[in-house]
Amino acid sequence: YQVTASYREKSAVDEYNKAKNEFSAKATEDEMRLLRFQRKLDDEKGAGLLGLSLQATMEALLALGLHKQAEQLYRDFRVPDKRYWWLKLKSLAEKEEWEELEKF
Amino acid sequence: MAAHLSYGRVNLNILREAARKELREFLDKCAGSKAIVWDEYLTGPFGLIAQYSLLKEHEVEKMFTLKSGRLPAADVKNIIFFVRPRLELMDIIAENIISEDKMHSPRDFHILFVPRRSMLCEQRLKEQGVLASFINIEEYILDLIPYDGDLLSMEYESAFRECYLENDQTSLYHTAKGLMTLQALYGTIPQIYGKGECARHVANMMLRMKREFAGSQNQILPVFDTLLLLDRNVDLLTPLATQLTYEGLIDEVYGITNGYVKLPPEKFAQKKQGEASKDLPTEPKKLQLNSAEELYAEIRDKNFNAVGAALSKKAKIISAAFEERHNAKTVGEIKQFVSQLPHMQAARSSLANHTSIAELIKDITTSEAFFDNLTVEQEFMTGVETDKVNTYIEDSIAQKDPLIKILRLVSMQSVCNNGLKQKVFDYYRREILQTYGYEHILTLNNLEKAGLLKLQSNSRNNYPTIRKTLKLWMEDANEQNPNDISYVYSGYAPLSIRLTQVLARPGWRSIEEVLKMLPGPHFEERQQLPAGLHKKRQQGENRTTLVFFLGGVSYAEIAALRFLSQMEDSGMEYIIATTKLLNGTTWIKSLMDRPEAQTS
């Protein structure tokens, strides 16, 4: 499955490039990157991330306490600071990790 | 009956009667007792043509919803399928019939296609081996359905999507056919104006169809003086804005389908006198909304801020009327009072209903979220910072507000800026994909194709020119006692309705420049009337224009046209027709990819 899926996306990227649709080509590459990341974590930790949006993935990671991984996505995908901090604050507040919040 | 259809300038009951007659004729073709199997989508529109009582008179004893598997048991001679011509429905019908045959029941099958027969569907039935089981296969042409005394809709949900995304002009053919039916009943419309590609197509088809019937001349004195065909994509902005009329807000908040609205039941707990509600209190309260209800006709098109005052005024009148009973001394006076009671009680329950609805809506319109959203919309419409990333949109995405709300706002910004700068466009798109999921890339593409989102080209942003020439923004909109159509959006005058207004006076020649900036051609055609049918106009008699919105129209736009009809010096009455009644949300939804999969 993995092989065919990534093959299909690869060709999607090619098609978008052919159509000179730079934005969609880039977005599709990003999505492939995200899927690979999700699969890896699902295999390692059984996190159940596959198919979630980037935001929902980061949310799930924070809920699981995988802060480092969430941080990695935030940097790799150049998530705007405002959106990420908002998410992080919300997640910490929900889990009532006030100490962690203090450290901000 | 449908008295509300005959109040207006044009008696739309004639159209409804014609539709009922055809239905009766078909039902009588299938002699004996009948059961109707409904394509669920059709029940709403059909309800506006014929109630169950009419069907019952023609021996319809049972009604079912079309479902796969076996048909429910019914002791009837005929089974009639009322369906849209869709392949997937044919498969279900075939399944029904095949499982039926095994039981050896001698029943007659019929199909009524709405609004057209389709060769493809019949071919599909043939492939499934059931075509020969049908005795009658007919079509029931239901193009324009009368919704109110001045309103016709085709309720063709996908019309805009088909025309602008899929390049499928089927809906335009139905439109032209519907207009021909209308002309057969109400006389040839002498003047046709139009703006937009689709408008041009429809006009061409109408003229061609007329030539095909050249032998038989229509001898009816024309009811309509003018037909104005408008493409929705000429004015993409208006439906994106939040409607601020009473009816418009009911539609924005709860959604009106086929003239009915479903409301949360809590506010309607009290049972009305003498009218046992069949619904359980936990079920939504279903109300019919049309001009048959006196109070609703009065307040539906008001700006919501003027509804409270109107309701309290009405409340005073009603309680004063009830107080009258103390003044009734003689038997004759008491008798007169009693004879008015049913009317007064109806008025009182109608008042109670609308007070509850207004309270529900007020909770929303007074919320901070509603206010913030409206502020941003109005900034865009007046051209404030439309070429930058908007903080409110950014925050709404971060808080994962419903995607449709985001798409509505971003589209609005794009339309008001004649496209977004590359940087802004990419930023929004990335934010949306990262937050709501990559799959929405297809929806974004659709919006781009439909022109709702676009990249700013090198050409100048011409929205400010359009806004100024057509006076789309009025600083001093009067919500209580309006003197201009801009009251329907508390400041913004719908572009589509301004075009209609200018056409009536002083004419489109005065705005040639603006018309050229808007997409599609504008044109004028004349249809020759037979000698003797030229109307001799009485002094002061109003002219009647049929405005047809191809691709949908919002309730606020309808309100604006009704306002123009009522203006004393306008000299023009408007009847409104459309492919679909819509609001920003339902419209965007119709353009989304696999909208049924969207929950947010």
Side-chain angles (χ1 to χ4, degrees):
Chain A
Y1 167 77
Q2 196 174 5
V3 178
T4 57
S6 65
Y7 171 75
R8 240 181 266 137
E9 272 154 5
K10 191 107 205 145
S11 64
V13 174
D14 290 346
E15 293 302 323
Y16 277 130
N17 276 328
K18 260 188 250 166
K20 296 216 165 59
N21 191 336
E22 254 173 67
F23 174 82
S24 300
K26 178 80 175 54
T28 309
E29 270 170 28
D30 279 355
E31 176 67 8
M32 285 162 62
R33 218 147 40 97
L34 179 64
L35 284 171
R36 256 181 258 125
F37 176 92
Q38 288 171 337
R39 181 176 297 277
K40 191 167 144 259
L41 265 192
D42 280 0
D43 289 347
E44 283 170 13
K45 319 229 171 193
L49 301 173
L50 199 68
L52 295 179
S53 73
L54 177 65
Q55 182 82 349
T57 309
M58 293 192 300
E59 206 175 328
L61 289 172
L62 290 174
L64 291 166
L66 299 169
H67 291 268
K68 235 176 71 193
Q69 283 83 346
E71 205 91 348
Q72 188 197 334
L73 286 181
Y74 150 66
R75 263 193 229 104
D76 285 2
F77 288 87
R78 293 185 298 133
V79 174
D81 294 350
K82 194 151 84 175
R83 177 149 59 86
Y84 182 69
W85 294 127
W86 206 316
L87 180 69
K88 182 140 183 175
L89 278 173
K90 223 173 78 186
S91 147
L92 290 177
E94 261 164 30
K95 291 169 70 184
E96 305 191 4
E97 291 180 6
W98 309 118
E99 280 166 37
E100 192 73 26
L101 254 175
E102 291 279 320
K103 283 190 219 152
F104 256 26
Chain B
M1 291 315 285
H4 62 285
L5 296 179
S6 44
Y7 286 150
R9 161 92 177 217
V10 176
N11 185 353
L12 293 180
N13 232 345
I14 298 175
L15 181 65
R16 185 171 179 267
E17 276 310 318
R20 287 160 70 92
K21 185 166 158 255
E22 213 175 312
L23 183 62
R24 280 195 289 257
E25 280 170 6
F26 172 76
L27 290 173
D28 289 340
K29 240 184 233 172
C30 320
S33 58
K34 314 168 185 50
I36 295 179
V37 183
W38 287 98
D39 170 355
E40 215 168 7
Y41 183 86
L42 292 174
T43 52
F46 255 85
L48 295 161
I49 298 293
Q51 270 87 35
Y52 186 43
S53 54
L54 178 138
L55 301 174
K56 230 171 173 173
E57 282 165 25
H58 294 266
E59 295 178 83
V60 175
E61 291 174 1
K62 290 265 165 59
M63 308 234 266
F64 306 116
T65 308
L66 184 63
K67 267 194 276 229
S68 55
R70 184 180 291 175
L71 286 170
D75 188 20
V76 288
K77 188 160 175 298
N78 299 285
I79 301 275
I80 312 174
F81 293 94
F82 278 35
V83 287
R84 287 168 294 165
R86 296 194 162 204
L87 289 179
E88 68 272 18
L89 299 178
M90 297 307 111
D91 294 345
I92 300 177
I93 292 179
E95 213 183 312
N96 284 171
I97 296 210
I98 290 163
S99 46
E100 184 80 0
D101 270 346
K102 287 174 202 147
M103 293 158 50
H104 302 291
S105 49
R107 302 207 270 193
D108 293 347
F109 294 106
H110 316 270
I111 291 191
L112 190 61
F113 282 114
V114 185
R116 295 285 184 287
R117 278 175 86 145
S118 128
M119 290 293 286
L120 273 176
C121 286
E122 285 170 45
Q123 185 61 35
R124 183 66 149 245
L125 291 172
K126 198 172 174 183
E127 281 164 20
Q128 302 267 19
V130 295
L131 187 65
S133 318
F134 293 99
I135 295 181
N136 284 306
I137 298 182
E138 301 223 0
E139 61 185 14
Y140 181 65
I141 301 173
L142 186 65
D143 288 322
L144 284 165
I145 307 161
Y147 266 67
D148 217 322
D150 58 358
L151 178 61
L152 300 158
S153 173
M154 295 165 69
E155 286 307 283
Y156 195 113
E157 207 158 16
S158 51
F160 184 84
R161 183 186 175 104
E162 285 175 15
C163 286
Y164 298 101
L165 278 189
E166 292 157 1
N167 236 336
D168 173 351
Q169 290 168 355
T170 313
S171 67
L172 301 182
Y173 171 76
H174 292 314
T175 305
K177 276 285 190 187
L179 283 165
M180 295 313 280
T181 310
L182 213 60
Q183 290 189 93
L185 293 168
Y186 298 94
T188 305
I189 306 174
Q191 262 187 318
I192 304 177
Y193 291 92
K195 170 72 187 163
E197 289 291 341
C198 296
R200 185 67 262 182
H201 277 299
V202 170
N204 287 348
M205 276 192 264
M206 284 173 68
L207 297 172
R208 196 164 58 233
M209 288 172 190
K210 185 159 183 279
R211 277 200 299 277
E212 286 165 10
F213 287 108
S216 60
Q217 278 197 332
N218 187 337
Q219 291 299 336
I220 300 169
L221 196 70
V223 173
F224 299 105
D225 301 282
T226 311
L227 166 66
L228 170 59
L229 296 160
L230 278 178
D231 273 36
R232 182 74 271 174
N233 84 335
V234 170
D235 173 12
L236 293 169
L237 174 56
T238 302
L240 292 170
T242 304
Q243 308 173 72
L244 296 176
T245 57
Y246 182 50
E247 189 168 40
L249 272 168
I250 295 177
D251 188 39
E252 295 276 346
V253 179
Y254 297 106
I256 301 174
T257 36
N258 296 310
Y260 285 88
V261 64
K262 283 184 183 162
L263 298 158
E266 299 83 33
K267 285 262 182 188
F268 301 91
Q270 270 179 311
K271 290 260 166 67
K272 281 167 281 153
Q273 297 160 326
E275 194 187 305
S277 162
K278 271 168 254 152
D279 296 36
L280 292 164
T282 48
E283 266 180 39
K285 165 106 179 162
K286 202 172 169 190
L287 274 182
Q288 189 170 22
L289 300 173
N290 64 38
S291 57
E293 191 183 350
E294 200 185 312
L295 174 63
Y296 187 62
E298 216 173 285
I299 59 174
R300 69 198 305 187
D301 299 321
K302 286 188 186 300
N303 184 291
F304 185 65
N305 282 337
V307 166
L311 284 174
S312 78
K313 201 172 117 202
K314 194 78 181 175
K316 278 186 199 126
I317 294 172
I318 290 175
S319 62
F322 273 99
E323 283 308 309
E324 283 286 307
R325 70 176 183 274
H326 299 302
N327 302 331
K329 294 282 188 310
T330 67
V331 175
E333 279 170 356
I334 292 173
K335 205 174 162 191
Q336 209 208 330
F337 177 81
V338 171
S339 73
Q340 282 170 356
L341 260 180
H343 178 74
M344 282 160 62
Q345 270 162 354
R348 191 159 67 176
S349 90
S350 149
L351 178 69
N353 279 339
H354 287 291
T355 310
S356 303
I357 299 175
E359 278 170 12
L360 286 168
I361 289 179
K362 192 155 191 202
D363 287 345
I364 290 161
T365 54
T366 49
S367 70
E368 209 174 308
F370 186 87
F371 181 79
D372 290 347
N373 191 69
L374 197 63
T375 308
V376 174
E377 282 184 12
Q378 300 200 336
E379 278 173 11
F380 288 161
M381 289 190 286
T382 47
V384 177
E385 301 206 324
T386 45
D387 57 1
K388 288 191 185 132
V389 170
N390 181 284
T391 345
Y392 176 73
I393 297 182
E394 216 180 7
D395 292 351
S396 301
I397 295 175
Q399 293 183 60
K400 236 180 165 185
D401 282 357
L403 175 60
I404 290 187
K405 169 190 166 174
I406 310 291
L407 295 174
R408 245 175 113 159
L409 283 172
V410 177
S411 298
M412 194 170 192
Q413 183 174 357
S414 170
V415 172
C416 291
N417 200 46
N418 194 19
L420 298 165
K421 279 186 181 162
Q422 181 85 55
K423 230 177 90 188
V424 178
F425 192 26
D426 286 354
Y427 182 82
Y428 281 140
R429 288 195 289 180
R430 253 171 65 91
E431 284 292 283
I432 289 168
L433 295 186
Q434 289 194 353
T435 307
Y436 299 93
Y438 169 75
E439 64 273 23
H440 297 291
I441 196 165
L442 298 172
T443 295
L444 291 175
N445 280 343
N446 287 353
L447 294 180
E448 202 176 337
K449 211 168 158 192
L452 282 165
L453 291 177
K454 70 176 181 187
L455 188 64
Q456 202 171 48
S457 56
N458 296 324
S459 65
R460 218 162 56 91
N461 174 11
N462 51 24
Y463 175 72
T465 317
I466 298 171
R467 187 180 69 226
K468 274 172 214 140
T469 316
L470 294 178
K471 299 200 184 71
L472 296 188
W473 185 261
M474 303 294 275
E475 223 24 271
D476 44 2
N478 187 336
E479 293 170 347
Q480 303 292 334
N481 296 300
N483 50 15
D484 180 73
I485 57 169
S486 55
Y487 85 93
V488 297
Y489 288 99
S490 294
Y492 168 69
L495 171 62
S496 55
I497 312 303
R498 274 285 193 254
L499 290 179
T500 313
Q501 198 180 7
V502 173
L503 177 68
R505 198 179 335 177
W508 274 359
R509 212 159 293 163
S510 62
I511 51 163
E512 282 283 334
E513 286 305 305
V514 166
L515 284 172
K516 274 184 202 145
M517 290 175 185
L518 298 167
H522 56 284
F523 58 90
E524 180 184 350
E525 298 283 352
R526 273 167 200 282
Q527 299 199 93
Q528 277 305 318
L529 294 177
L533 286 186
H534 291 282
K535 240 199 222 171
K536 294 208 174 53
R537 204 170 303 283
Q538 312 252 299
Q539 186 109 56
E541 191 190 328
N542 282 352
R543 298 164 62 84
T544 306
T545 297
L546 175 66
V547 190
F548 205 123
F549 294 86
L550 303 162
V553 69
S554 70
Y555 287 98
E557 287 172 297
I558 295 169
L561 280 177
R562 286 188 182 136
F563 174 80
L564 288 180
S565 293
Q566 282 159 10
M567 283 223 308
E568 271 171 27
D569 57 346
S570 78
M572 188 65 87
E573 289 230 17
Y574 294 99
I575 305 292
I576 304 124
T578 184
T579 50
K580 176 86 179 93
L581 294 162
L582 52 72
N583 61 43
T585 303
T586 54
W587 188 36
I588 297 267
K589 221 180 223 165
S590 80
L591 290 170
M592 288 176 85
D593 201 72
R594 294 188 305 130
E596 69 279 9
Q598 313 305 331
T599 43
S600 59

